[in-house]
């Protein structure tokens, strides 16, 4: 069902959702997009698919030349691959994501969603990709809560992992995402913080939707 607020305006309406791993961004973004009748882009897939291309070719995801070439060669088919999640893909995505050439190569594709209005989730949507987004949400949760969620996801998929390993991997990836010089994970000054540590998906959605309605009213 299209939301009357969005349908009425006809303007560019980008909703930027940033935050660390397993904070609940994807679930929230997908639901907001469906409710508002907007397209949704999970920008993490772009970095995951780039990392995967490099690994497939036997390359090093930390090598700027190889990773940038892989980002430039990305196709829609790469985004639909079923092997973009899991510890190896996570680490490769974070490595390629630290390379400025990779980020530059993926920028136009992300910005092409602007004119129609869209919901995008990632790390730098409100800071770099759409600094003028109509709504910016920064969704986070404590590390133990996020690690527990990711561990449950992996377990449900039958991927063996210990909670300690998942926590350590997530801590390392958070640190890489926050410390890199190219578009680090950062809350935009004008973003609304939503801490989902003690919230289920329904509550997070209600809080976010109320904010979106307030901002777009
Ligand atoms: O699903 P999860 O939150 O674990 O990760 P993701 O959103 O799929 O992102 C995977 C990795 O891509 C992150 O750890 C970041 O290093 C990178 N990324 C980024 O740098 N910028 C974005 N807009 C989205 C993802």
């Amino acid at each position: 069902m299209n939301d009357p607020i969005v349908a009425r305006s006809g303007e560019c309406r980008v909703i930027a959702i940033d935050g660390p791993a397993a904070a609940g961004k994807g679930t929230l973004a997908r639901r907001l997009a469906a409710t508002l009748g907007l397209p949704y882009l999970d920008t993490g897939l772009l970095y995951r698919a780039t990392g995967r291309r490099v690994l497939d070719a036997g390359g090093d995801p930390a090598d700027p030349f190889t990773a940038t070439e892989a980002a430039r060669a990305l196709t829609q088919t790469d985004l639909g691959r079923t092997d973009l999640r899991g510890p190896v893909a996570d680490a490769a995505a974070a490595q390629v994501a630290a390379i400025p050439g990779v980020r530059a190569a993926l920028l136009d594709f992300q910005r092409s969603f602007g004119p129609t209005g869209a919901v995008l989730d990632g790390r730098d949507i409100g800071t770099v990709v759409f600094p003028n987004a109509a709504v910016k949400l920064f969704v986070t949760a404590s590390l133990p809560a996020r690690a527990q969620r990711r561990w449950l996801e992996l377990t449900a998929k039958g991927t063996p992992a210990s909670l300690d390993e998942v926590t350590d991997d997530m801590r390392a990836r958070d640190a890489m995402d926050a410390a890199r010089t190219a578009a680090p994970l950062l809350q935009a000054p004008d973003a609304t913080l939503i801490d989902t540590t003690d919230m289920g998906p329904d509550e997070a959605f209600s809080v976010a939707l109320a904010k979106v309605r307030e901002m777009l009213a």
Side-chain angles (χ1 to χ4, degrees):
M1 184 191 70
N2 278 11
D3 189 285
I5 291 173
V6 173
R8 186 183 65 218
S9 79
E11 299 163 22
C12 161
R13 300 258 151 156
V14 168
I15 298 175
I17 305 185
D18 290 306
K25 303 182 303 284
T27 307
L28 179 61
R30 218 168 277 116
R31 218 162 143 182
L32 282 175
T35 303
L36 300 169
L38 291 174
Y40 163 57
L41 179 65
D42 169 1
T43 64
L45 284 184
L46 302 173
Y47 298 92
R48 290 175 176 279
T50 301
R52 182 47 78 188
R53 275 190 89 108
V54 175
L55 293 175
D56 283 354
D60 174 5
D63 175 60
F65 181 78
T66 315
T68 303
E69 287 296 297
R72 289 193 182 132
L74 221 56
T75 66
Q76 200 65 41
T77 313
D78 291 309
L79 304 183
R81 290 178 61 153
T82 53
D83 55 359
L84 300 181
R85 306 215 172 257
V88 174
D90 289 354
Q95 282 178 299
V96 301
I99 298 168
V102 168
R103 306 200 74 87
L106 300 177
L107 205 50
D108 283 351
F109 178 74
Q110 295 174 80
R111 287 190 174 150
S112 71
F113 280 72
T116 53
V119 181
L120 292 92
D121 82 60
R123 302 292 187 284
D124 63 338
I125 310 304
T127 50
V128 174
V129 182
F130 286 109
N132 297 323
V135 183
K136 297 183 188 179
L137 304 176
F138 192 84
V139 181
T140 190
S142 71
L143 177 64
R146 293 186 290 114
Q148 172 82 14
R149 288 174 196 165
R150 186 53 45 93
W151 177 76
L152 283 172
E153 275 169 27
L154 288 168
T155 309
K157 276 197 274 181
T159 311
S162 79
L163 181 57
D164 283 349
E165 270 168 6
V166 173
T167 307
D168 289 348
D169 285 355
M170 198 168 273
R171 186 184 291 111
R173 193 147 62 93
D174 284 353
M176 271 186 81
D177 287 348
R180 69 183 178 218
T181 38
L185 170 65
L186 198 66
Q187 181 179 346
D190 52 347
T192 298
L193 179 70
I194 300 180
D195 186 330
T196 67
T197 305
D198 298 314
M199 277 184 202
D202 287 348
E203 190 181 352
F205 175 67
S206 310
V207 170
L209 187 61
K211 190 68 202 173
V212 168
R213 289 187 189 285
E214 179 195 319
M215 300 295 291
L216 296 185

